[in-house]
Amino acid sequence: MSATAARPEELDDATRPNYLNVSHTIKSWLLTQDHKRIAVLYLVSISFFFLLGGLAASMIRLELTSPRGVMLESETYNKMFSAHGIIMVFLFLVPSIPATFGNFALPMMIGAKDLAFPRLNLLSWYLYMIGGGLILAALLMGGVDTGWTFYTPYSSMYSSGHVVLAIVGVFIAGFSSIFTGLNFIATVHKMRAPGMTWFRMPLFVWAMYATSVIIVLGTPVVAITLALVAVEATMGVGIFSPALGGDPVLFQHMFWFYSHPAVYIMILPSMGVMSELIACFSRKRIFGYHFVAFSSLAIAGLGFIVWGHHMFTSGQSTFQSLVFSLISFVVAVPSAVKTFNWMATIYKGNVDLRSPMIFALGFLGLFVVGGLTGLYLASLATDVHLQATYFVVAHFHYIMVGGAMMGFLGALHYWWPKMTGKMYSDNWAKIGAALVFVGFNLTFFPQFILGYLGMPRRYHYYDFAPQWQAYNIMSSAGASVLALGYILPAFYLLHSLKYGKPAGRNPWGAVGLEWQTESPPDTHNFHEIPIVTHEAYDYAAVDEIEHAQAQEVMKKEAHMGSDE
């Protein structure tokens, strides 16, 4: 892809105005309408909630090192895994890549100066913070013991925790996601630069578009569902509780109608990031660009009709389960299309193993394991044996934590130089990526075995089966390595802010429009609206231009030498 754009001002990096130094007041940050600043606000707040969710996970893993537990009462343990799930799902995984890197990069990638509705974008951050604050208040006031799934009738009738307050927080945070999704859809439709046709868009934009469609269509359903739980809990109106004449299975249908597509809200953005990383660091156009683009839409569409595979043991009709099982296998096809096309892109590519590419390769390894083990849960016969065991926990984390988190870290390392204008230590970043990959597998692979052996999830007392302790200790040891891998980037990335080398416009030699802006970009992204004349990932053309420029420089140097 190439574009004709005005040259930036010839100013020193330290004095050139950009979105970071245009103003330093707190007011300028809290009232900003610049999509890049809002992305930074999201990055800071999401990292805070990730830290809280991680602390809860640490307590869980420490507790499970002994068959009789080591420090938590059963009720406290329930609240701890509920806090971990609610924070990680609703306050980290769902908004992580869309709200941060979608906000930061998407407008620049399509040649726009901002999102379509800047004020709505700022409002979405405030709603996220209000929702997060209410959830945090619920946890601090005594906690929630229902798990992140809020299954009825326990959540509406019998739980003694602050379920309603947590539900209100999730409800408000959901509107934050809806506003972000609406903004992305409008921006992609109406604000693409001249020449930026649908099939010249980067695949990250395609992924964000498909994710936004899921958010806009699915999030209202879970919002209504949780609102009904609150109505039943506070007013005693029978909706889901059999004691009041309600139907608990209805809750599962409504909850999973959103929550399975929500899996793709969490993983599709990572898939978009992978397309950018693999194309850039393989110096090749993505193999089967159109198939990868349409596979994002296929995942978004099929994701809405597979929710019943979460309910094979809920008492739903066997024939229903057969249909849901078949469709669940079908949804694996577009995911496989992406994976095979990424591998074909790497094949015979000029692969550059810098840290963002290491995260991309880590994503492939973890996502493939998570995807293949999902087939066991999509199959009726094996799911009956594995449901509600640690096998489900391991599969879920291989996709959500392994896949989504690797995508988040890959995006962070890829766009960090553009966000800050500074380079970080690539060696430390590679060490961090290796720690995450090793620590993750050590943490969650033993949980596949535990699940197969029958250990139920959400149990902290397993003295009746002490043979599970070795796997749990292995898992907890892996969690320590994993935590180190997550903490390490905070040090070298923050260190780079003060001591990092200037990144320049395009430290990776990438071809996207965002890399034609300064690092960090100015407040309006582009001095002139770019005109797109080439397809995405046209690395052959870029290499040809760079080669011609190098030849020209050599000729000039040779000419100057002959004159002397």
Side-chain angles (χ1 to χ4, degrees), residues 143-404:
V144 177
D145 58 357
T146 62
W148 73 275
T149 48
F150 299 108
Y151 271 172
T152 56
Y154 182 65
S155 61
S156 61
M157 297 291 294
Y158 307 110
S159 172
S160 58
H162 293 77
V163 178
V164 174
L165 186 58
I167 283 176
V168 172
V170 173
F171 187 88
I172 293 174
F175 276 94
S176 168
S177 296
I178 292 172
F179 290 164
T180 300
L182 282 172
N183 227 338
F184 287 171
I185 291 172
T187 303
V188 171
H189 273 275
K190 303 301 292 185
M191 297 182 69
R192 301 195 309 276
M196 177 61 81
T197 62
W198 282 88
F199 295 112
R200 285 178 179 169
M201 288 199 310
L203 289 167
F204 178 73
V205 179
W206 273 98
M208 292 308 307
Y209 184 83
T211 304
S212 300
V213 170
I214 301 174
I215 289 173
V216 171
L217 295 179
T219 307
V221 177
V222 76
I224 293 168
T225 308
L226 294 179
L228 291 175
V229 174
V231 167
E232 185 170 88
T234 57
M235 302 179 186
V237 178
I239 301 169
F240 301 122
S241 171
L244 298 175
D247 181 0
V249 179
L250 174 64
F251 172 85
Q252 292 197 38
H253 278 293
M254 296 177 70
F255 181 82
W256 288 114
F257 179 81
Y258 161 80
S259 294
H260 191 80
V263 169
Y264 302 114
I265 293 174
M266 302 176 211
I267 195 66
L268 263 175
S270 283
M271 291 174 164
V273 171
M274 290 308 112
S275 294
E276 301 303 313
L277 300 187
I278 289 173
C280 175
F281 294 98
S282 299
R283 308 295 297 174
K284 281 177 67 180
R285 184 178 189 269
I286 286 288
F287 182 85
Y289 168 93
H290 291 78
F291 285 96
V292 177
F294 281 117
S295 66
S296 294
L297 299 181
I299 289 172
L302 290 169
F304 277 109
I305 53 176
V306 298
W307 79 91
H309 75 229
H310 293 273
M311 302 168 57
F312 287 160
T313 57
S314 69
Q316 72 179 1
S317 158
T318 304
F319 297 105
Q320 268 183 294
S321 297
L322 282 172
V323 173
F324 280 123
S325 176
L326 177 63
I327 302 172
S328 300
F329 276 93
V330 172
V331 80
V333 174
S335 298
V337 166
K338 287 181 180 291
T339 304
F340 282 115
N341 284 10
W342 290 328
M343 297 298 292
T345 305
I346 294 172
Y347 179 65
K348 289 191 176 179
N350 185 17
V351 178
D352 183 354
L353 290 176
R354 282 191 274 186
S355 53
M357 187 62 177
I358 301 297
F359 281 108
L361 295 176
F363 169 92
L364 284 174
L366 300 182
F367 178 73
V368 167
V369 174
L372 290 177
T373 51
L375 297 179
Y376 290 91
L377 301 176
S379 171
L380 264 173
T382 47
D383 182 76
V384 171
H385 172 62
L386 298 171
Q387 195 168 71
T389 69
Y390 260 91
F391 191 95
V392 178
V393 176
H395 159 71
F396 182 82
H397 282 79
Y398 263 86
I399 295 291
M400 293 297 92
V401 183

Side-chain angles (χ1 to χ4, degrees), residues 106-113 191-194 196 513 526 529-530:
L106 185 143
M108 290 189 286
M109 295 176 87
I110 61 172
K113 292 189 174 183
M191 297 182 69
R192 301 195 309 276
M196 177 61 81
L513 288 180
F526 302 96
I529 296 296

Side-chain angles (χ1 to χ4, degrees), residues 34-58:
D34 187 332
H35 66 99
K36 301 180 290 296
R37 280 195 163 203
I38 294 171
V40 174
L41 291 175
Y42 266 116
L43 180 61
V44 173
S45 47
I46 281 172
S47 299
F48 169 73
F49 285 116
F50 177 76
L51 176 63
L52 294 182
L55 289 174
S58 302

Side-chain angles (χ1 to χ4, degrees), residues 339-493:
T339 304
F340 282 115
N341 284 10
W342 290 328
M343 297 298 292
T345 305
I346 294 172
Y347 179 65
K348 289 191 176 179
N350 185 17
V351 178
D352 183 354
L353 290 176
R354 282 191 274 186
S355 53
M357 187 62 177
I358 301 297
F359 281 108
L361 295 176
F363 169 92
L364 284 174
L366 300 182
F367 178 73
V368 167
V369 174
L372 290 177
T373 51
L375 297 179
Y376 290 91
L377 301 176
S379 171
L380 264 173
T382 47
D383 182 76
V384 171
H385 172 62
L386 298 171
Q387 195 168 71
T389 69
Y390 260 91
F391 191 95
V392 178
V393 176
H395 159 71
F396 182 82
H397 282 79
Y398 263 86
I399 295 291
M400 293 297 92
V401 183
M405 195 62 198
M406 276 293 191
F408 179 83
L409 290 172
L412 181 62
H413 287 76
Y414 183 56
W415 280 305
W416 181 264
K418 180 58 62 181
M419 296 177 80
T420 65
K422 296 295 181 67
M423 293 300 294
Y424 52 83
S425 167
D426 197 54
N427 289 332
W428 278 111
K430 289 177 180 175
I431 292 172
L435 286 174
V436 170
F437 187 80
V438 173
F440 184 89
N441 281 294
L442 193 55
T443 303
F444 292 104
F445 198 85
Q447 294 181 16
F448 282 125
I449 302 171
L450 280 170
Y452 179 78
L453 293 176
M455 181 171 179
R457 62 178 177 175
R458 301 181 175 180
Y459 275 38
H460 79 120
Y461 186 90
Y462 55 95
D463 198 37
F464 54 88
Q467 66 271 22
W468 294 340
Q469 185 180 19
Y471 298 107
N472 274 306
I473 289 177
M474 193 183 303
S475 185
S476 297
S480 303
V481 178
L482 184 60
L484 187 60
Y486 286 152
I487 293 171
L488 188 59
F491 287 98
Y492 60 75
L493 290 177

